[in-house]
Amino acid sequence: MSERRNSRITVKDIAKIVGVSATAVSMALNNRGSLTESRREEIKRVAAELGYVPNAGARSLRGSFTQSFGVVINYFNNPFFHDFFMGLEDVTNKIDFSYWVSQTWDDLKQEQQQVRKLAQMGVDGLIVLPCSREISHLTEITSRFNIPLVLISHSLDDHFPAVVADNIVGAALATEHLLLTRRPVLHIAGPINDKSGIQQRYQGYCQTMKAADKNFDPNNSIFFVDKLRAKDGYEIMPSILNQHALPISLFVVNDETALGVLNYCHNHNLRVPEDIAVVGFSDIDLIENLNISLTTVAIPRREMGQCAAHKLLAQIGHPSELKQNVNNNEIIMTLPVSLVIRDSSRVE
């Protein structure tokens, strides 16, 4: 490779040549993370041959720890994050780290603005719940600002480290359970083109249904919602009932959407589980006056918070992480799930 001196060479350019993520390049150039020594040296060699010059502003920001994270989530009132932040604080409180939290309203433009604001504040790293598969703004953060990040709930291939639930297995558990009702088992799905976790739940449902019924037709069994809120579950129910006679069973993409389904049933005198059996996903802390307990797939949310913090600290190179058991060689860490059977699906 001929030597080139070009201050406009970026981390992304190096990543393309070596065949790794921009995050891996940043870790190698800053002697952080858990890359193999051979891969670290390869990245440094390519950077030197290209004449890579780090952004001076980014270098000054990374000169010392600010002892803070940025955390970007979809909604402040999302019940999923109650236990997640407990797990995060299990780690950060021991090392006197603080964190800033912002919400995106599940909107890409808001996400782009929030991650850039937090980066400009000089946080040591970012934990992000991505709302789409767009990665340009996240790559900018790791290259321009030299800030490591970890994704939660949804991965973006292997572009960035991530901590996710085993969505395929969880969906299979939910679907197999509902098949015991001997009714049509339908799926309320979310935006599968935008979020890997939602796509995996859809995938797990389809695989399980095809294994159980060779004539399974997804076009007649899957109903899509744009968002994953209670009102979306409520509003999709008329479409489902127009196409399917009772009784039916529903595997719902997440608990908040399932809550809307249960509210619809309550307001329209539909019996759960006699008319409609319901299984959600996540096992969030639902409101206390829920008229019936919800069967759901439990995600270890507190553990997800702990693992996200450990993986981020490992990228930063924080000394406290040297003794941790989290496998930081895994780009994507998948946490186990379990089915919690409650009243909403108990059918004799």
Side-chain angles (χ1 to χ4, degrees):
M1 182 185 299
S2 62
E3 183 175 350
R4 291 186 292 162
R5 295 292 169 186
N6 186 347
S7 62
R8 289 180 291 182
I9 292 293
T10 69
V11 168
K12 289 173 63 177
D13 297 323
I14 302 169
K16 288 179 181 178
I17 293 173
V18 180
V20 297
S21 68
T23 299
V25 173
S26 293
M27 288 192 293
L29 296 179
N30 291 279
N31 295 313
R32 298 171 179 157
S34 54
L35 296 169
T36 63
E37 190 60 29
S38 61
R39 180 50 61 91
R40 191 185 305 276
E41 291 304 316
E42 180 187 10
I43 291 170
K44 289 183 176 181
R45 176 182 59 78
V46 171
E49 291 179 354
L50 290 174
Y52 171 70
V53 178
N55 179 280
R59 179 178 291 278
S60 65
L61 282 174
R62 303 269 57 81
S64 61
F65 291 126
T66 61
Q67 298 290 109
S68 64
F69 290 161
V71 184
V72 181
I73 63 176
N74 52 3
Y75 302 101
F76 285 147
N77 64 349
N78 186 341
F80 178 92
F81 288 103
H82 176 268
D83 287 345
F84 174 86
F85 281 118
M86 290 179 63
L88 188 67
E89 291 178 0
D90 288 340
V91 178
T92 58
N93 286 347
K94 293 179 181 178
I95 57 175
D96 197 29
F97 259 66
S98 60
Y99 58 87
W100 300 86
V101 185
S102 63
Q103 65 180 347
T104 65
W105 299 100
D106 230 5
D107 178 79
L108 177 59
K109 289 184 178 179
Q110 285 294 322
E111 180 181 307
Q112 292 168 333
Q113 291 175 6
Q114 295 306 320
V115 297
R116 287 172 181 143
K117 285 180 181 178
L118 288 166
Q120 290 164 359
M121 289 170 60
V123 295
D124 292 322
L126 285 169
I127 296 173
V128 180
L129 172 65
C131 67
S132 74
R133 296 184 187 271
E134 174 60 45
I135 67 169
S136 60
H137 59 299
L138 301 178
T139 303
E140 174 191 1
I141 295 306
T142 59
S143 59
R144 177 184 172 192
F145 292 95
N146 198 20
I147 294 177
L149 64 85
V150 172
L151 306 180
I152 53 172
S153 291
H154 308 295
S155 62
L156 295 170
D157 298 323
D158 61 351
H159 292 292
F160 307 99
V163 183
V164 301
D166 198 335
N167 293 289
I168 293 179
V169 167
L173 291 172
T175 307
E176 288 168 355
H177 170 66
L178 288 174
L179 284 168
L180 298 176
T181 65
R182 300 187 182 279
R183 307 170 177 177
V185 178
L186 314 176
H187 179 37
I188 298 179
I192 61 175
N193 292 324
D194 293 335
K195 301 182 179 183
S196 67
I198 304 308
Q199 183 184 48
Q200 289 163 0
R201 294 173 197 179
Y202 166 89
Q203 181 181 347
Y205 164 78
C206 290
Q207 289 175 350
T208 306
M209 292 299 295
K210 289 176 182 177
D213 179 7
K214 64 180 181 180
N215 296 317
F216 168 68
D217 181 6
N219 295 321
N220 190 44
S221 304
I222 300 173
F223 298 81
F224 291 95
V225 293
D226 292 330
K227 299 290 185 180
L228 303 174
R229 308 284 275 177
K231 72 180 187 68
D232 301 290
Y234 194 100
E235 292 173 354
I236 197 66
M237 286 303 294
S239 296
I240 295 174
L241 296 176
N242 282 338
Q243 295 186 41
H244 293 274
L246 299 176
I248 58 174
S249 295
L250 292 177
F251 165 45
V252 188
V253 61
N254 73 336
D255 286 350
E256 281 201 80
T257 309
L259 176 60
V261 172
L262 295 180
N263 287 338
Y264 183 92
C265 293
H266 177 74
N267 292 341
H268 292 80
N269 298 316
L270 297 172
R271 298 170 301 164
V272 177
E274 291 84 359
D275 296 324
I276 302 179
V278 183
V279 175
F281 204 111
S282 291
D283 197 25
I284 61 175
D285 298 321
L286 295 170
I287 55 177
E288 293 182 359
N289 62 347
L290 191 64
N291 60 326
I292 189 167
S293 60
L294 177 65
T295 296
T296 187
V297 176
I299 295 174
R301 303 186 304 279
R302 187 165 185 165
E303 184 180 351
M304 182 176 287
Q306 294 168 348
C307 291
H310 286 318
K311 286 186 78 68
L312 192 56
L313 286 168
Q315 289 188 73
I316 294 170
H318 195 278
S320 69
E321 285 310 289
L322 297 178
K323 298 181 181 179
Q324 297 298 334
N325 293 323
V326 173
N327 183 0
N328 289 301
N329 290 318
E330 290 182 308
I331 296 296
I332 300 175
M333 178 179 294
T334 303
L335 302 179
V337 298
S338 59
L339 181 67
V340 182
I341 301 174
R342 301 191 180 105
D343 292 340
S344 69
S345 66
R346 295 186 193 275
V347 178
E348 299 296 334

